């Protein structure tokens, strides 16, 4: 077979895939088209002995596969979280480590909220309410969706430890890149909000409970 | 990578002129007596940075609208000092001010020669550039070395240089210096908030501690260190309830009266004495 035909045909097909990749608006289709373009270009570059192209796409292919897998895993984890314990552990791979010293303040009340935190180790206290947050707690996940975007309390580190942080803009990027993730993220945030309301209602009922026997009986 | 992307985003937003929203809105319910000070603050901060930055100022003021124990006098002082701290002096600001200086006909423009420490200059750059530069300066023991800088409108070259330095304000909010200032402002506002809740009589003294930090260079660094010493040694323990100081305002005034030394030893000693007279919980 004439190699020049293969070369021209392959280049035309690869061009279509490269253009299609660039037109994708969201991350998963973009990666899928990226992978298809990589495979096609590797397949064509072998018989035509175009080794630089082959090397480039041999590097890009695993990268695209890794990122696609990461995105699909993210959607799966968020879905799972919505249907089970409402945990936000799935965010961990996207977070960066931040060591905290005793006395360090992670954020102040009324400050513009820009990050959410996952407590890995150490002790942390909400200054205004005096509540201590346990290891494994997520802080500031609702601030991203609140209209004013402001912190409602101050978080202080009282024993050195480590937190993981992710900026709201990073989560927003994930949201925009992946609409399915965005949908489940909204469901998860709403579910956590409703859970907070339920907890508050339960606490209020507990507070009111001793007063109930004193309440006048209705006929 | 995030820092690099932030720089690109900020620059593109600036080029596309997307970062400038409508004029900043002062908080609803702002007392009439505070309004002129706040309006001056907004105008200055638009000139200093941008309308978005001035809106941040306005949002910070909103925290005190309708708060108990906040008199018009106290609120005006918060607004005035907040403007001052949010328009901190860095080489970019000095270039901006120099450019805005009127030139008197028949008189040559005044040339300002100021000395900056290298780490001070580097801290005005975006983190992505500043951090590696700072690392390199520290490795060669040059971070504390001072360099003279001329701010002059005497020649075209001088004006162009001032314009370039002034243009760097677009990246100011990505700098390490801005991050330090942001954290400081938030801590100061937090301490005012806690004073209003725990010891309202000391609120004015806490507000006025902002005057301890001025300018740049040695005075700025010593002022900043002294402020943290006073807050960590007196105000915070008093608000946390670990230290009972009957007259916190007086204790702060006395600590502020201590002459500053490079290592802060005198202030440390004075705070120790003040704490010895207080009751430890």
């Amino acid at each position: 077979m004439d190699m020049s035909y293969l070369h021209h045909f392959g280049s035309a097909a690869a061009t279509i895939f490269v253009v299609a990749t660039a037109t994708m608006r969201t991350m998963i289709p973009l990666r899928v088209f990226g992978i298809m373009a990589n495979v096609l270009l590797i397949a064509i570059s072998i018989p035509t002995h175009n080794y630089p192209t082959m090397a480039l796409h041999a590097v890009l292919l695993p990268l695209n596969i890794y990122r696609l897998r990461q995105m699909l895993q993210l959607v799966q984890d968020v879905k799972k979280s919505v249907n089970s314990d409402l945990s936000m552990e799935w965010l961990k791979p996207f977070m960066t480590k931040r060591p905290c010293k005793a006395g360090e303040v992670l954020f102040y009340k009324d400050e513009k909220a820009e990050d959410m935190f996952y407590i890995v180790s150490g002790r942390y206290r909400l200054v205004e309410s005096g509540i201590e947050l346990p290891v494994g707690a997520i802080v500031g996940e609702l601030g991203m969706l609140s209209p004013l975007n402001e912190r409602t309390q101050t978080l202080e580190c009282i024993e050195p430890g480590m937190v993981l942080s992710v900026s709201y803009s990073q989560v927003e990027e994930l949201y925009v890149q992946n609409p399915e993730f965005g949908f489940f993220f909204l469901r998860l945030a709403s579910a956590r909000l409703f859970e907070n309301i339920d907890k508050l209602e339960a606490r209020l009922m507990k507070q009111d409970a001793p007063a109930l026997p004193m309440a006048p009986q209705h006929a | 990578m995030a820092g690099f992307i932030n720089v690109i985003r900020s620059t593109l937003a600036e080029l596309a002129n997307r970062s400038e929203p409508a004029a900043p809105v002062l908080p609803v319910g702002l007392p009439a007596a505070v309004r002129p000070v706040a309006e001056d603050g907004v105008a200055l901060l638009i000139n200093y940075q941008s309308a978005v930055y001035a809106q941040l100022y306005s949002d910070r003021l909103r925290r005190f609208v309708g708060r108990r124990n906040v008199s018009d006098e106290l609120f005006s002082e918060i607004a005035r000092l907040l403007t001052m701290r949010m328009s901190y002096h860095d080489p970019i600001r000095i270039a901006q001010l120099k450019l805005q200086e009127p030139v008197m006909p028949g008189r040559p423009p005044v040339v300002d020669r100021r000395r900056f420490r290298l780490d001070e200059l580097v801290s005005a750059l975006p983190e992505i550039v500043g951090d590696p530069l700072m690392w390199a300066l520290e490795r060669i023991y040059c971070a504390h070395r001072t360099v003279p800088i001329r701010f002059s409108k005497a020649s075209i070259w001088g004006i162009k240089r001032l314009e370039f330095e002034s243009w760097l304000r677009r990246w100011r909010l990505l700098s390490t210096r801005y991050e330090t200032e942001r954290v400081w402002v938030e801590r100061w506002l937090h301490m005012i908030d806690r004073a209003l809740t725990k010891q309202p009589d000391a609120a004015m003294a806490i507000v006025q501690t902002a005057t301890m930090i001025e300018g740049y260079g040695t005075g700025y660094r010593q002022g900043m260190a002294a402020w943290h010493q006073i807050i960590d040694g007196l105000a915070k323990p008093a608000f946390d309830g670990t230290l009972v100081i009957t007259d916190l305002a007086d204790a702060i005034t006395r600590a502020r009266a201590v002459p500053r030394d490079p290592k802060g030893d005198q202030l440390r000693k004075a705070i120790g004495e003040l704490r010895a007279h207080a009751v430890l919980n």
Side-chain angles (χ1 to χ4, degrees):
Chain A
M1 187 182 170
D2 188 352
M3 280 298 153
S4 68
Y5 281 120
L6 181 65
H7 183 75
H8 291 311
F9 170 75
S11 300
T15 306
I16 292 168
F17 274 104
V18 170
V19 171
T21 306
T23 56
M24 292 299 129
R25 286 188 196 169
T26 52
M27 197 49 78
I28 292 177
L30 187 142
R31 295 287 175 197
V32 170
F33 272 85
I35 289 168
M36 293 200 306
N38 296 148
V39 171
L40 190 65
L41 282 159
I42 290 170
I44 291 161
S45 59
I46 295 169
T48 55
H49 306 289
N50 192 349
Y51 297 118
T53 305
M54 192 184 78
L56 171 68
H57 290 274
V59 172
L60 290 178
L61 180 63
L63 187 71
N64 274 325
I65 292 173
Y66 174 72
R67 290 291 183 209
L68 176 66
R69 195 188 158 276
Q70 205 180 21
M71 228 6 121
L72 292 172
Q73 185 70 44
L74 176 71
V75 175
Q76 203 180 1
D77 289 348
V78 183
K79 259 187 208 173
K80 213 195 300 178
S81 188
V82 172
N83 298 320
S84 58
D85 57 352
L86 305 183
S87 135
M88 294 191 93
E89 295 242 344
W90 46 269
L91 251 183
K92 276 164 107 179
F94 299 90
M95 295 176 125
T96 44
K97 281 182 186 172
R98 175 175 158 181
C100 288
K101 291 181 279 185
E104 189 180 331
V105 173
L106 278 87
F107 55 77
Y108 291 98
K109 183 183 164 220
D110 296 325
E111 191 184 346
K112 274 261 176 284
E114 282 169 357
D115 308 273
M116 62 175 95
F117 298 97
Y118 179 89
I119 296 174
V120 178
S121 62
R123 285 176 63 206
Y124 303 83
R125 186 174 59 109
L126 292 167
V127 174
E128 286 76 13
S129 62
I131 295 170
E132 210 174 292
L133 296 175
V135 167
I138 278 269
V139 194
E141 80 280 15
L142 294 175
M144 197 180 105
L145 302 172
S146 79
L148 284 176
N149 240 215
E150 284 172 358
R151 302 284 187 201
T152 51
Q153 299 223 34
T154 304
L155 184 65
E156 187 184 11
C157 172
I158 46 177
E159 241 175 48
M162 178 78 76
V163 294
L164 297 176
S165 73
V166 62
S167 68
Y168 289 166
S169 56
Q170 278 173 278
V171 182
E172 277 167 24
E173 271 165 23
L174 288 174
Y175 191 112
V176 175
Q177 286 170 5
N178 191 339
E180 199 180 357
F181 160 79
F183 173 73
F184 284 104
F185 176 75
L186 272 185
R187 281 188 65 177
L188 179 65
S190 315
R192 285 172 73 91
L193 193 62
F194 281 118
E195 193 189 48
N196 286 352
I197 293 170
D198 287 347
K199 273 184 194 164
L200 277 174
E201 278 178 353
R203 204 179 285 179
L204 273 174
M205 280 188 38
K206 231 184 218 175
Q207 277 181 354
D208 291 346
L212 281 178
M214 305 289 287
Q217 298 289 312
H218 294 287
Chain B
M1 183 54 104
F4 183 65
I5 291 171
N6 283 343
V7 170
I8 293 174
R9 270 200 185 137
S10 166
T11 312
L12 288 178
E14 185 71 37
L15 291 174
N17 207 16
R18 279 196 301 114
S19 60
E20 293 299 304
V25 184
L26 285 175
V28 179
L30 189 76
V34 185
R35 196 162 274 273
V37 186
E39 281 169 352
D40 287 350
V42 165
L44 190 140
L45 293 171
I46 290 174
N47 173 266
Y48 178 82
Q49 185 63 42
S50 62
V52 178
Y53 193 58
Q55 186 59 54
L56 174 66
Y57 167 79
S58 177
D59 291 343
R60 281 171 169 168
L61 286 185
R62 198 181 58 228
R63 301 175 194 183
F64 300 99
V65 173
R67 277 289 301 266
R68 215 164 47 164
N69 302 317
V70 178
S71 64
D72 286 355
E73 187 200 0
L74 183 75
F75 207 159
S76 298
E77 196 62 355
I78 294 172
R80 186 181 72 82
L81 293 172
L82 183 59
T83 308
M84 192 186 86
R85 284 314 318 145
M86 284 182 72
S87 58
Y88 60 87
H89 275 202
D90 57 2
I92 301 170
R93 181 61 179 160
I94 295 167
Q96 280 179 300
L97 291 173
K98 195 73 200 167
L99 268 179
Q100 288 161 16
E101 225 172 55
V103 180
M104 300 291 176
R107 288 170 69 181
V110 182
V111 177
D112 275 353
R113 283 171 212 277
R114 310 212 184 190
R115 288 195 83 86
F116 290 94
R117 264 179 30 172
L118 283 173
D119 56 358
E120 228 165 12
L121 290 175
V122 167
S123 70
L125 298 171
E127 254 184 271
I128 189 80
V129 185
D131 282 357
L133 268 176
M134 188 73 87
W135 178 84
L137 286 174
E138 278 166 2
R139 297 288 284 205
I140 56 169
Y141 305 103
C142 283
H144 295 179
R145 182 166 289 178
T146 59
V147 285
I149 294 191
R150 269 167 57 104
F151 295 91
S152 163
K153 278 171 84 175
S155 64
I156 291 288
W157 163 240
I159 293 171
K160 289 289 163 206
R161 215 188 77 186
L162 287 176
E163 280 172 358
F164 172 72
E165 284 161 359
S166 168
W167 182 85
L168 287 176
R169 80 171 196 280
R170 285 153 180 86
W171 291 342
R172 187 190 261 142
L173 302 191
L174 303 171
S175 68
T176 32
R177 172 79 190 271
Y178 173 72
E179 185 54 19
T180 312
E181 292 290 339
R182 187 193 66 77
V183 170
W184 183 88
V185 166
E186 288 300 340
R187 191 168 193 216
W188 176 63
L189 293 172
H190 172 67
M191 286 299 153
I192 298 170
D193 177 67
R194 295 198 77 192
L196 289 169
T197 314
K198 305 270 179 176
Q199 294 204 30
D201 293 343
M204 187 54 109
I206 296 282
V207 170
Q208 283 176 339
T209 55
T211 56
M212 292 172 69
I213 302 160
E214 280 177 330
Y216 58 93
T218 312
Y220 167 82
R221 278 189 301 279
Q222 286 186 2
M224 184 69 100
W227 186 85
H228 282 293
Q229 271 183 297
I230 292 174
I231 295 298
D232 289 336
L234 300 172
K236 189 174 181 294
F239 300 147
D240 284 346
T242 52
L243 190 72
V244 180
I245 303 175
T246 43
D247 193 348
L248 179 62
D250 179 59
I252 291 172
T253 312
R254 280 204 264 165
R256 287 190 61 178
V258 175
R260 285 181 201 161
D261 57 306
K263 289 190 175 173
D265 291 336
Q266 288 192 58
L267 182 57
R268 196 169 301 114
K269 201 175 144 199
I271 289 173
E273 282 166 12
L274 285 164
R275 285 173 65 99
H277 289 105
V279 180
L280 282 170
N281 273 341

